[in-house]
Amino acid sequence: MILYTVTGRVGEEGYLDIAKSGDLTGKNVYVNMTNKCPCSCVFCLRQTKKELEGNSLWLREGEPTVDEVMDLFGQYDLSVINELVFCGFGEPLERLYDVCSVIDRLKETYPGLKVRVNTIGLANLIYGKDVTPELEGRVDTISISLNAPEAEEFLEITRSSYGIQSYEAIKEFAVLAKQYVPNVVMTVVEQVMPEDKIERCRKICDELGVTLRVRPLES
Ligand code: SF4
C-alpha cells in the first residue's frame, strides 16, 4: 500500500488504501515509499515477521519508482486534502531525493500543497552530510520521533544502527531543519512515556526551540 489514509483505529484496519478512502476532502493522505530504516525500534511492527507479512504497509513488490508514485497520485485530486504526509513502514528520508522529486512534481499542480515528513531524524547520518537544505520550500512540517529524554534510552528503544551518536544527531537535525522548515516538531508517545520523562523531553525541545507533540499511541 503506497498511498493511504488513517482511520484512527489501532492495528491493520487503522490504515486504509487511498482507493478505499472515499472522499478525500479535509483528510491527510500518507505516502509510503520505502521499507528501509536505520532503526529497529522495540515497538515497531516491522520487528515481527508475522506482522510484516500481514501488514499492508510492507511494500511486498519492492519500492515504487517516482513515476509509479506519480501515476497513483494522478488518479486523485489533492487540492481538497488537508496535508500530504511522508510516513509509512520505513524511514521516508532513506529516499530523500525521490521524496523531493515527488514533492516538486506535485507542487507543479498543487503549489499550495501542505507537506509533512515523519522521520526518525537520522538523515544527516544516512547521507553523511547536512541534507536539511533539501527540505526548503518543499516541507512545511517535519515531525521527528524523540522517543526518550537521553541518548542511552533512545538507543535502547530505537536500536539505531548508528549507535549512541544517534540522539545528538536527531537533535542537531531538528535545529538545522529550523532554517528551512517552518514547523519543526519532535514527538513522544502518550501512555508509553511517564509524565516526568515527558516533561524532560519538553525541556529539551524548549532548549532546541522546537515544539514537542505528545501524540496518542495509535496516531
Ligand atoms: S524509526 Fe519508525 S519505521 Fe524505523 S524502526 Fe523505528 S518506528 Fe519503525
Side-chain angles (χ1 to χ4, degrees):
M1 193 155 71
I2 297 164
L3 302 182
Y4 62 100
T5 56
V6 173
T7 65
R9 296 194 196 96
V10 177
E12 180 67 6
E13 59 181 4
Y15 313 111
L16 212 53
D17 193 294
I18 193 169
K20 298 176 187 156
S21 296
D23 182 4
L24 295 177
T25 305
K27 290 181 181 167
N28 289 350
V29 171
Y30 293 78
V31 192
N32 175 33
M33 284 174 54
T34 184
N35 291 328
K36 282 199 223 105
C37 183
C39 294
S40 115
C41 297
V42 288
F43 53 80
C44 185
L45 293 179
R46 292 160 52 90
Q47 308 324 323
T48 322
K49 192 157 183 287
K50 193 162 162 278
E51 290 282 0
L52 283 188
E53 283 164 356
N55 197 297
S56 50
L57 286 183
W58 187 255
L59 297 164
R60 288 183 197 81
E61 313 290 318
E63 295 182 340
T65 65
V66 169
D67 284 340
E68 284 166 347
V69 174
M70 292 308 299
D71 284 348
L72 262 177
F73 274 125
Q75 300 170 35
Y76 303 95
D77 175 11
L78 297 188
S79 68
V80 299
I81 72 166
N82 175 52
E83 191 177 33
L84 188 70
V85 186
F86 289 84
C87 186
F89 220 36
E91 163 53 50
L93 297 185
E94 283 275 7
R95 292 188 69 187
L96 169 70
Y97 297 100
D98 288 341
V99 165
C100 290
S101 294
V102 168
I103 295 170
D104 289 348
R105 287 171 65 176
L106 286 174
K107 286 202 172 191
E108 284 170 15
T109 311
Y110 309 104
L113 187 69
K114 276 200 293 169
V115 177
R116 168 165 41 119
V117 176
N118 290 352
T119 177
I120 191 65
L122 292 168
N124 287 353
L125 289 181
I126 295 171
Y127 292 92
K129 62 178 183 180
D130 177 18
V131 295
T132 55
E134 298 292 342
L135 306 173
E136 188 168 26
R138 295 185 168 118
V139 177
D140 300 279
T141 300
I142 188 135
S143 179
I144 304 163
S145 306
L146 182 59
N147 277 307
E150 60 200 11
E152 290 75 13
E153 189 180 343
F154 180 86
L155 185 57
E156 272 169 33
I157 292 172
T158 63
R159 300 182 286 192
S160 165
S161 58
Y162 295 106
I164 197 72
Q165 62 174 326
S166 301
Y167 194 64
E168 279 310 308
I170 69 160
K171 291 194 293 179
E172 185 186 54
F173 182 80
V175 171
L176 290 167
K178 281 197 298 177
Q179 301 170 85
Y180 308 108
V181 178
N183 193 19
V184 178
V185 178
M186 297 191 100
T187 64
V188 293
V189 180
E190 203 177 30
Q191 295 154 346
V192 172
M193 186 178 276
E195 195 53 41
D196 62 311
K197 283 192 183 171
I198 292 178
E199 275 318 303
R200 285 167 62 199
C201 289
R202 199 179 304 283
K203 201 158 166 267
I204 289 166
C205 287
D206 286 348
E207 285 165 10
L208 298 175
V210 303
T211 307
L212 178 74
R213 179 173 172 242
V214 183
R215 63 183 180 86
L217 188 58
E218 68 272 18
S219 80

